[in-house]
């Protein structure tokens, strides 16, 4: 009888693990896509191995028409609006160490302005993607770049579980 109880307890524990593994992680409800409708990802996040190496420290979204609206993906405070190298950039501090940047985006906002999730903060300008207008969205946590898609999509890999 003890072996049967142990087996039943093991099956119950596996059921809990399997159910938990199949439950998707909730997407952060405080974040949304900066373009609407949900855009295609034209280039994925590909951070460099070392901070000084080349890489892609964000994602390119689109295609989007020049002048298309860009919305704040989460509440925050604008920390920068200006030109970096040859592109107009907007940066927002979202708190909890998270800052997002958008380029090429022209905006009437100024450093210190508060933005709310979904608020139009500027418009896409030409100049980032070669053949189609697109938006580059980067997110940093402190000094480390993170994949912005992880804030709006479930990025966990699919896991297949046994039938028995």
């Amino acid at each position: 009888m003890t072996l049967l109880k142990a087996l039943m307890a093991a099956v119950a524990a596996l059921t809990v693990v399997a159910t938990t593994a199949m439950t998707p992680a909730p997407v952060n409800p405080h974040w949304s896509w900066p373009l609407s409708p949900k855009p295609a990802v034209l280039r994925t996040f590909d951070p460099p191995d070392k901070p000084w190496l080349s890489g892609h420290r964000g994602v390119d979204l689109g295609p989007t028409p020049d002048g298309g609206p860009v919305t704040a993906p989460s509440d925050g405070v604008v920390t920068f609006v200006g030109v970096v190298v040859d592109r107009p950039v907007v940066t927002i501090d979202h708190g909890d160490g998270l800052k997002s940047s958008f380029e090429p985006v022209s905006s009437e906002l100024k450093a210190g302005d508060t933005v709310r999730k979904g608020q139009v903060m500027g418009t896409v300008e030409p100049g980032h993607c070669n053949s189609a207008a697109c938006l580059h969205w980067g997110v940093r946590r402190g000094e480390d770049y993170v994949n912005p898609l992880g804030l709006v999509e479930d990025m966990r890999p699919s896991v297949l579980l046994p039938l028995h």
Side-chain angles (χ1 to χ4, degrees), residues 99-159:
K99 286 186 177 183
S100 56
S101 61
F102 307 87
E103 63 176 88
V105 174
S106 64
S107 179
E108 298 297 318
L109 294 172
K110 295 180 181 28
D113 287 348
T114 300
V115 292
R116 307 294 293 170
K117 175 183 170 184
Q119 175 184 336
V120 173
M121 60 179 192
T123 57
V124 176
E125 296 291 320
H128 184 60
C129 293
N130 293 334
S131 61
C134 73
L135 173 71
H136 177 84
W137 178 24
V139 176
R140 284 189 335 213
R141 176 173 278 119
E143 295 300 314
D144 298 321
Y145 283 88
V146 297
N147 188 346
L149 299 182
L151 298 166
V152 293
E153 289 187 334
D154 182 1
M155 300 296 294
R156 296 175 308 156
S158 297
V159 177

